[in-house]
Amino acid sequence: MFAEERHHLIARLIEEHGKVTVSGLADRFGITRETVRRDLAQLETADVLRRVHGGAVARTTASTTEQSHLARTGLHSDAKERIASAAAALLPSGQVSAVLDAGTTTELLATLLVGAAERSGELLAITHALPVAQRLAAAKNLQLEFVGGRVRGLTSAAIGPRVVAHYASLRPDIAFVGTNGLHATFGLSTPDDLEAAVKTAIVDSARRVVVLADASKFDQETLVRFAALDAVDTLVTDARPDGDLAEALEAAEVEVVLA
């Protein structure tokens, strides 16, 4: 295969999947990793992609890139619905307190928990996310605690020291947390430092931490780490992690639930 043809295929893979790895491309094309790195360097010079450790990502991907709540709502919707359904099944029975982080997947989970609350009437749901609170408020038998602060428009979630302090004073039974990035060495991350502080407080406070993340978050590093992998009890996702991430999750004793 000529280099030009290979470059075209790599660009297509980036467009379809958002990322490629050096090892994956070497296996796919039957070439050395050094050849792959030269290909990626040439494609970066041509502004086709951006090189990162172990591979490359789309050139529009950056550590501070963050889509609006509205834009994220339609992304990977089928996967998010399956993840939300699998996460709902993890809710303990009896009198339970549960934190729901901001995010489009946790919004879907909130809708499912409304139905669960109407059947049991023993759930205290805690959230700092306006869209999540709006869905939970529809339940007649559910107790809702909203953690207020300054609302960040991009995510419609409350942020700031009051939110962090409130979560630090709690010890909920379970927390359902979203993430922008899930990486073998960097852990869980998000682009904004104020959002990260809130997520850290949630993770530190909960007796059990359940992360909801579709496969597009795998091997991604955004600007601010809010938790290491060993702070997570369960990952609910739509595809089985592989490579370094799979090994790191196993080493951290994170249970992986496939939706």
Side-chain angles (χ1 to χ4, degrees):
M1 180 182 294
F2 292 112
E4 184 177 350
E5 182 181 1
R6 195 167 60 241
H7 291 178
H8 176 74
L9 291 174
I10 292 173
R12 181 183 298 175
L13 290 170
I14 285 283
E15 182 179 352
E16 292 176 353
H17 303 288
K19 61 184 178 180
V20 293
T21 64
V22 171
S23 59
L25 292 175
D27 292 341
R28 183 184 185 96
F29 297 124
I31 56 178
T32 66
R33 297 190 179 193
E34 186 57 37
T35 300
V36 172
R37 293 188 182 96
R38 285 198 297 269
D39 286 345
L40 296 181
Q42 292 172 18
L43 288 168
E44 184 177 47
T45 300
D47 204 27
V48 173
L49 51 75
R50 183 170 62 85
R51 285 187 294 168
V52 295
H53 179 72
V57 296
R59 60 183 176 83
T60 55
T61 301
S63 64
T64 56
T65 298
E66 188 173 9
Q67 293 176 304
S68 69
H69 174 269
L70 180 61
R72 287 183 289 113
T73 299
L75 293 176
H76 313 292
S77 56
D78 290 342
K80 290 176 180 179
E81 288 178 0
R82 297 198 306 273
I83 290 169
S85 179
L90 300 178
L91 188 72
S93 59
Q95 295 182 336
V96 178
S97 56
V99 171
L100 276 74
D101 188 16
T104 52
T105 308
T106 50
E107 286 176 44
L108 295 171
L109 173 61
T111 299
L112 296 175
L113 295 188
V114 168
E118 290 177 349
R119 292 190 296 271
S120 66
E122 298 179 303
L123 174 64
L124 168 62
I126 307 162
T127 188
H128 62 289
L130 288 173
V132 172
Q134 288 171 344
R135 298 198 182 201
L136 292 171
K140 297 178 181 178
N141 297 323
L142 180 149
Q143 297 181 66
L144 171 61
E145 180 175 332
F146 183 74
V147 182
R150 180 167 63 85
V151 175
R152 185 170 179 245
L154 196 63
T155 57
S156 297
I159 54 174
R162 283 184 295 171
V163 181
V164 172
H166 192 121
Y167 277 125
S169 70
L170 302 179
R171 188 64 168 158
D173 296 303
I174 191 168
F176 297 99
V177 181
T179 184
N180 295 75
L182 184 65
H183 192 270
T185 56
F186 197 59
L188 286 73
S189 60
T190 194
D192 184 77
D193 59 342
L194 294 177
E195 295 259 12
V198 173
K199 289 176 181 290
T200 297
I202 293 172
V203 170
D204 290 346
S205 71
R207 299 177 189 273
R208 182 182 182 190
V209 177
V210 179
V211 172
L212 313 183
D214 63 75
S216 70
K217 312 296 177 59
F218 292 177
D219 303 317
Q220 299 298 310
E221 299 171 273
T222 53
L223 185 62
V224 188
R225 178 170 64 178
F226 65 85
L229 292 182
D230 61 9
V232 176
D233 296 293
T234 304
L235 167 66
V236 185
T237 185
D238 61 316
R240 187 169 296 281
D242 58 13
D244 292 343
L245 179 57
E247 294 177 5
L249 289 167
E250 183 176 2
E253 299 184 348
V254 178
E255 175 191 21
V256 178
V257 175
L258 293 180

